[in-house]
């Protein structure tokens, strides 16, 4: 027999092996087949017997079949990691009163040495392996029941579990805190590169815990990235790489303005991805709308009030060729959105009439900054565009203008809206996306293929 005495004898070992005959050297295939079918106790008993036949003394032996473990596999079509089941495998944990070296134990059991794991150093090494049988300290892994663990030697595992459960759960919290601290640098790096959004962090369990323990650091990273993105957008605008786009959606309560706007936003974000642009959107509050804005490309001002911003802020925000700081409660923000959706039950004339400090303002300043006015109804939409009021307008235009002037009372406006054109919802979407395509200077051929 080979001489294994040069290395230290182990006090415990975890055997991890797939349930395929080729991984079990000189084993009867029938006992492996039994384990495949869920009966693993005879297999563990045989492992213990082989080890004890070589002058070892086993004090505890536990085993469990893991058939619900998953691994993340990158899916090139979906462009994301997809969980897939790992191959069925067993974990056999064996503790010794008298042990042997790892190589010796591998030889005795007929399992290659790389599938035997030593406990980590420290007084909790064996206890951590006991907990790992059911993943008690690993919340993100599948939680096996203690009843699924078989006991061949030592105290029944169910008894061990119930006695150690509280300590193991405390250990889980400690482990999560350590992992969070290790992960925060990675997460900050991803934020600064624009590869992950706050929404993704809050909806991903692992990232959420990192965020909870490092909120200030992560918020600072988002703030820095938003500032960078704002200045990059300013540069793009100054280079005439795009024109800011503003859509005003109006309609009665309950007709679906918000739902329609969200559909448009999701479609625009999907199109942007095909141009290698990872867009995000921000939904503002009805008051102090820019408090939570962090430089997202699409700004959704849902059911906002005209009075929520001053005349100056509205004009700066809607200006198609300029990006300027916008007032916010704690710190002014750069209004760097490329596309803005505003929804309101009021018409733009009444909406902007209510903006702070608008008493002597020409409402036309606001109107001419809109790309499109969309009146949303249950079954269709009415689209109109800003038009400049001239003296030499035809009778039909004069009738339109006079009708809208009734809404202005004593106000004057250099711009109003053209007559409405009725579109079904599909054609309205096509019209809006076409405006986005033109203003963003996206290639026509590619954009058209994406809209089909």
């Amino acid at each position: 027999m080979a001489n294994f005495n040069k290395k230290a004898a182990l006090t415990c070992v975890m055997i991890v092996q797939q349930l395929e005959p080729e991984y079990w050297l000189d084993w009867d295939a029938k006992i492996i087949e039994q384990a495949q079918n869920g009966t693993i106790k005879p297999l563990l008993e045989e492992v213990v017997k082989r080890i004890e036949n070589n002058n070892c003394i086993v004090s505890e032996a536990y085993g469990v079949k893991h058939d619900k473990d998953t691994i993340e596999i990158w899916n090139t079509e979906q462009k994301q990691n997809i969980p897939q089941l790992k191959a069925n495998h067993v974990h056999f944990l064996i503790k010794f009163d008298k042990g042997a070296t790892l190589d010796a134990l591998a030889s005795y059991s007929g399992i290659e040495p790389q599938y035997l794991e030593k406990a980590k150093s420290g007084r909790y090494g064996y206890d951590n392996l006991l907990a790992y049988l059911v993943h008690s300290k690993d919340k993100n892994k599948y939680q096996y029941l203690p009843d699924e663990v078989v006991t061949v030697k030592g105290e029944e595992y169910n008894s061990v579990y119930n006695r150690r459960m509280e300590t193991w759960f405390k250990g889980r919290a400690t482990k999560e805190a350590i992992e969070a601290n290790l992960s925060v640098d990675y997460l900050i790096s991803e934020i600064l590169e624009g590869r992950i959004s706050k929404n993704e962090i809050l909806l991903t369990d692992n990232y959420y815990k990192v965020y909870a323990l490092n909120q200030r650091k992560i918020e600072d990273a988002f703030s820095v990235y938003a500032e960078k993105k704002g200045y990059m957008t300013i540069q793009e605008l100054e280079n005439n790489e795009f024109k800011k786009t503003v859509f005003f959606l109006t309609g009665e309560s309950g007709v679906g303005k918000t739902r329609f706007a969200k559909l448009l936003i999701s479609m625009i974000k999907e199109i942007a991805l095909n141009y290698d642009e990872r867009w995000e959107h921000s939904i503002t509050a009805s008051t102090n709308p820019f408090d939570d804005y962090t430089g997202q490309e699409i700004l959704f001002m849902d059911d906002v009030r005209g009075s929520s911003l001053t005349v100056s802020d509205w004009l700066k925000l809607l200006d198609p060729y300029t990006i300027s700081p916008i007032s916010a409660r704690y710190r002014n923000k750069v209004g760097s959105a490329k596309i803005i959706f505003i929804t309101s039950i009021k018409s733009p004339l009444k909406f902007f009439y209510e903006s702070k400090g608008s008493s002597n303002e020409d409402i036309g300043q606001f109107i001419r900054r809109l790309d499109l006015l969309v009146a949303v109804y249950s079954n269709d939409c009415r689209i109109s565009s800003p038009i400049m009021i001239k003296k030499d307008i035809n009778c039909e235009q004069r009738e339109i203008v006079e009708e809208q002037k009734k809404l202005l009372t004593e106000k004057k406006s250099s711009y109003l809206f053209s007559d409405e054109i009725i579109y079904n919802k599909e054609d309205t979407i096509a019209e809006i996306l076409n405006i986005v395509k033109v203003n963003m200077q996206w290639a026509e051929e590619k954009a058209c293929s994406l809209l089909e």
Side-chain angles (χ1 to χ4, degrees):
M1 183 179 292
N3 184 4
F4 297 113
N5 296 324
K6 292 183 180 180
K7 297 179 182 179
L10 301 181
T11 58
C12 66
V13 69
M14 175 80 90
I15 298 171
V16 184
Q17 187 56 286
Q18 293 183 33
L19 291 172
E20 297 295 338
E22 61 263 31
Y23 297 113
W24 299 80
L25 308 177
D26 301 320
W27 278 78
D28 184 350
K30 290 183 179 179
I31 200 170
I32 306 301
E33 186 178 347
Q34 277 184 299
Q36 289 174 336
N37 294 329
T39 306
I40 65 169
K41 192 168 186 177
L43 183 59
L44 177 56
E45 288 173 336
E46 181 62 24
V47 169
V48 171
K49 179 181 176 182
R50 289 186 178 206
I51 291 173
E52 289 191 322
N53 285 344
N54 285 277
N55 202 30
C56 292
I57 301 174
V58 175
S59 58
E60 297 177 22
Y62 303 103
V64 64
K65 178 183 177 182
H66 282 191
D67 55 2
K68 298 178 183 67
D69 291 357
T70 59
I71 187 171
E72 299 284 328
I73 302 294
W74 178 254
N75 186 297
T76 53
E77 292 182 0
Q78 298 183 31
K79 297 181 180 179
Q80 62 179 340
N81 286 322
I82 303 296
Q84 291 186 6
L85 282 174
K86 288 184 179 180
N88 289 351
H89 57 282
V90 290
H91 288 258
F92 289 163
L93 178 58
I94 301 172
K95 188 177 182 182
F96 305 102
D97 283 340
K98 180 183 178 183
T101 67
L102 186 143
D103 288 340
L105 292 169
S107 176
Y108 302 157
S109 60
I111 299 168
E112 293 183 12
Q114 63 265 35
Y115 301 115
L116 276 66
E117 299 177 7
K118 296 186 291 184
K120 290 183 179 179
S121 59
R123 59 177 179 162
Y124 297 113
Y126 180 68
D127 193 62
N128 287 335
L129 293 178
L130 277 170
Y132 191 80
L133 291 173
V134 292
H135 294 154
S136 275
K137 293 187 179 182
D138 298 86
K139 186 179 179 181
N140 295 323
K141 296 180 182 289
Y142 182 83
Q143 300 295 295
Y144 293 93
L145 298 174
D147 291 342
E148 297 179 71
V149 180
V150 300
T151 304
V152 168
K153 286 208 169 188
E155 181 184 359
E156 283 294 326
Y157 186 81
N158 238 324
S159 172
V160 175
Y161 176 86
N162 284 289
R163 180 164 47 80
R164 299 293 300 158
M165 177 177 60
E166 184 176 350
T167 302
W168 288 349
F169 285 175
K170 288 179 182 177
R172 175 195 291 181
T174 302
K175 183 176 180 180
E176 288 172 357
I178 293 170
E179 289 176 349
N181 287 328
L182 292 174
S183 301
V184 67
D185 290 338
Y186 164 78
L187 207 54
I188 287 174
S189 174
E190 292 294 288
I191 291 166
L192 295 177
E193 291 297 326
R195 288 193 288 261
I196 190 166
S197 67
K198 188 172 181 179
N199 188 54
E200 289 170 322
I201 288 174
L202 294 177
L203 295 177
T204 304
D205 287 344
N206 289 343
Y207 294 157
Y208 171 73
K209 287 183 180 139
V210 178
Y211 176 80
L213 294 168
N214 301 275
Q215 186 175 2
R216 186 67 268 156
K217 284 184 179 180
I218 291 173
E219 288 292 350
D220 286 346
F222 276 119
S223 178
V224 169
Y225 178 66
E227 191 170 6
K228 175 192 174 185
K229 191 157 67 168
Y231 283 105
M232 287 175 62
T233 304
I234 291 172
Q235 188 176 54
E236 291 172 6
L237 193 62
E238 290 175 348
N239 292 338
N240 297 316
E241 296 178 31
F242 77 94
K243 172 184 170 291
K244 195 187 298 180
T245 308
V246 184
F247 299 110
F248 196 107
L249 278 61
T250 186
E252 295 180 0
S253 297
V255 297
K257 299 184 299 296
T258 299
R259 185 170 62 251
F260 190 54
K262 286 182 176 179
L263 173 63
L264 288 163
I265 289 169
S266 66
M267 295 178 77
I268 292 169
K269 288 166 68 175
E270 186 176 345
I271 293 170
L273 269 178
N274 286 274
Y275 291 89
D276 299 320
E277 298 184 31
R278 194 175 187 273
W279 281 21
E280 297 295 331
H281 74 280
S282 172
I283 302 178
T284 67
S286 57
T287 57
N288 303 309
F290 279 89
D291 285 358
D292 296 321
Y293 178 70
T294 54
Q296 291 87 345
E297 290 80 3
I298 303 175
L299 180 62
F300 182 20
M301 307 185 78
D302 187 30
D303 199 27
V304 73
R305 303 293 185 264
S307 58
S308 62
L309 293 178
T310 64
V311 166
S312 175
D313 280 340
W314 275 120
L315 293 175
K316 287 188 289 186
L317 175 65
L318 303 180
D319 191 322
Y321 302 107
T322 304
I323 290 176
S324 306
I326 305 295
S327 302
R329 273 189 301 175
Y330 308 113
R331 181 184 178 186
N332 288 352
K333 304 290 181 74
V334 177
S336 55
K338 296 180 177 180
I339 297 176
I340 300 172
F341 285 92
I342 303 171
T343 66
S344 175
I345 59 172
K346 297 182 179 180
S347 73
L349 301 175
K350 289 184 176 180
F351 181 88
F352 291 115
Y353 179 87
E354 296 175 355
S355 57
K356 296 175 184 176
S358 67
S359 57
N360 297 314
E361 294 294 331
D362 172 13
I363 299 298
Q365 296 180 90
F366 306 100
I367 303 304
R368 67 183 178 84
R369 285 166 161 79
L370 304 180
D371 285 82
L372 210 62
L373 170 61
V374 181
V376 180
Y377 293 84
S378 299
N379 300 317
D380 55 40
C381 296
R382 317 285 171 87
I383 292 179
S384 52
S385 306
I387 57 170
M388 185 176 183
I389 300 175
K390 299 178 181 178
K391 292 181 180 179
D392 54 340
I393 58 176
N394 59 41
C395 294
E396 184 179 351
Q397 289 175 317
R398 184 174 289 109
E399 185 177 337
I400 296 167
V401 168
E402 292 303 322
E403 186 66 28
Q404 293 182 59
K405 279 185 175 180
K406 293 177 183 177
L407 300 173
L408 294 173
T409 61
E410 73 277 7
K411 286 277 186 180
K412 294 183 179 180
S413 180
S414 56
Y415 278 78
L416 291 173
F417 291 98
S418 65
D419 197 7
E420 294 179 332
I421 301 175
I422 299 176
Y423 282 79
N424 60 39
K425 292 287 179 68
E426 291 76 12
D427 289 342
T428 303
I429 291 171
E431 179 69 16
I432 289 172
L433 295 183
N434 185 62
I435 291 173
V436 170
K437 177 205 71 174
V438 171
N439 289 352
M440 290 305 305
Q441 301 180 26
W442 283 336
E444 185 172 354
E445 302 81 15
K446 193 169 185 178
C448 288
S449 65
L450 293 168
L451 297 179
E452 289 177 353

